[in-house]
Amino acid sequence: MIDLSGSWLKLGDTDLVKAVHETVVREFGKKALQYTDTAGAPEPREELRRILERLGFGRHAVLFTASLADSLRLIAEVNLDPGECISPEDPTQREVLPYAKCGRPKAVYVQPYWRCPDGYIYTAEELRRAEKEAPLVIYDLTYSLLRGEAPHVAKSSIAVGSLDVLFPGLHLGFLAVPRELEPYYLSMQEGAYLHVSTYMQYLFYVALRSGAVHEVFNALQRRQAVVKERLVGTATPYFVWYKPPSQRLRDIFLSHGAVPGSAHSKTGEFGEYVRLGLTSATEEELADFLSKIPL
């Protein structure tokens, strides 16, 4: 059965996945299978630093985390006092919603490019307005890493993201924080775990340097094209924000793992929409599925 949850990254080319893992073990086995620095192994960390510098976060200290949720947990522990919260967009990424319930926003959370779940792209002016809403702006760059940009970066800012969408089996997050805050974040990490998986860090490094990440992205773009031919909605290579014209069609999508739009809302709105994940089904599976349902 087709999976529209977007909860994992499915790729038909298993040889590509095998080749990347073989390279990790062959070239970096002695490093990848050992402990490393809490902030991250040197080569993967430098590669991530280059990506974030291109996106406007070159003055920040970069460190790996276990996931996007882990990154947000660390931000809350370091920056939020009792009664303070993070003010997200609406709709927004679900991981931030637990930190959105309060009356005093300490930080604003934005996804500048291909916002999950609706694919919105921020302008520089909109990001400047967000900077005025709270003392800190958190930029989620999960979907910006390969294609997007952050046209304005606030003076007081932190970048977060998940690297899971880049390659099958990759489970890794990141933080880019002001350098003066790096010791606080490292102490929090050390209190929870010595470091995140070294193997995952080198998997990210090899997948990126070998070009495998871009092959995966090209496959996701083909899935995006298949969906855009059939559905009228906002489609990114990672997900689609769609308003089904009937309850029957909505139920069909939900029964195949799509997420109701209200699950991405701090106010419970957008129930008429569904988020269709494109990472969990191949191009051929999507084309076959969409050809058989009553659109």
Side-chain angles (χ1 to χ4, degrees):
M1 184 175 76
I2 192 169
D3 181 4
L4 298 174
S5 67
S7 57
W8 60 295
L9 188 56
K10 185 174 185 180
L11 189 67
D13 186 1
T14 56
D15 288 339
L16 178 65
V17 178
K18 180 181 178 182
V20 171
H21 281 275
E22 286 178 343
T23 301
V24 173
V25 175
R26 183 177 65 252
E27 296 189 11
F28 298 101
K30 290 183 179 180
K31 296 180 179 180
L33 302 175
Q34 298 294 329
Y35 295 117
T36 189
D37 294 338
T38 301
E43 298 95 340
R45 193 183 183 197
E46 174 60 19
E47 197 67 30
L48 179 60
R49 187 198 65 77
R50 289 173 184 160
I51 293 173
L52 297 182
E53 183 176 39
R54 176 180 60 81
L55 293 170
F57 295 88
R59 57 189 173 85
H60 290 61
V62 175
L63 45 150
F64 288 105
T65 64
S67 64
L68 173 60
D70 188 38
S71 296
L72 292 171
R73 175 188 62 81
L74 287 167
I75 290 174
E77 290 183 1
V78 173
N79 292 276
L80 300 187
D81 293 325
E84 295 179 335
C85 70
I86 299 172
S87 177
E89 319 120 309
D90 200 19
T92 192
Q93 186 76 287
R94 288 192 290 175
E95 283 89 340
V96 75
L97 290 177
Y99 305 101
K101 300 173 182 177
C102 80
R104 292 205 313 274
K106 178 69 170 291
V108 174
Y109 169 92
V110 295
Q111 301 170 82
Y113 197 89
W114 283 339
R115 177 173 69 188
C116 179
D118 63 350
Y120 188 75
I121 298 174
Y122 277 80
T123 66
E125 182 56 34
E126 287 172 324
L127 293 175
R128 289 189 184 96
R129 287 201 298 267
E131 183 179 11
K132 298 176 182 178
E133 295 176 11
L136 174 67
V137 182
I138 302 167
Y139 295 79
D140 185 342
L141 305 178
T142 296
Y143 301 106
S144 307
L145 292 171
L146 298 182
R147 176 59 61 86
E149 59 179 343
H152 172 76
V153 176
K155 291 182 179 180
S156 180
S157 59
I158 293 176
V160 300
S162 169
L163 300 172
D164 297 21
V165 300
L166 296 181
F167 195 73
L170 180 61
H171 301 294
L172 199 62
F174 66 84
L175 270 169
V177 302
R179 295 190 182 279
E180 64 270 19
L181 294 181
E182 182 182 16
Y184 296 98
Y185 278 91
L186 290 179
S187 66
M188 289 292 181
Q189 279 189 299
E190 290 170 347
Y193 44 76
L194 182 61
H195 61 85
V196 298
S197 168
T198 313
Y199 187 87
M200 285 294 160
Q201 295 179 43
Y202 279 98
L203 179 61
F204 156 72
Y205 179 71
V206 172
L208 191 64
R209 293 298 294 268
S210 68
V213 160
H214 296 283
E215 290 191 48
V216 170
F217 186 70
N218 290 338
L220 293 177
Q221 286 185 301
R222 291 194 293 272
R223 299 177 198 185
Q224 176 190 16
V226 166
V227 174
K228 289 178 71 173
E229 288 179 359
R230 297 280 290 169
L231 299 181
V232 178
T234 303
T236 76
Y238 304 101
F239 52 83
V240 179
W241 186 240
Y242 179 61
K243 186 177 181 180
S246 68
Q247 184 61 43
R248 180 189 177 196
L249 186 56
R250 184 177 186 275
D251 290 341
I252 289 174
F253 284 124
L254 293 177
S255 69
H256 287 83
V259 179
S262 56
H264 289 269
S265 173
K266 64 180 180 181
T267 58
E269 298 181 359
F270 307 103
E272 69 274 25
Y273 288 88
V274 291
R275 180 193 183 275
L276 314 178
L278 302 187
T279 59
S280 306
T282 65
E283 175 187 350
E284 294 75 18
E285 289 170 339
L286 285 166
D288 180 65
F289 172 71
L290 293 174
S291 70
K292 294 177 179 178
I293 61 175
L295 298 175

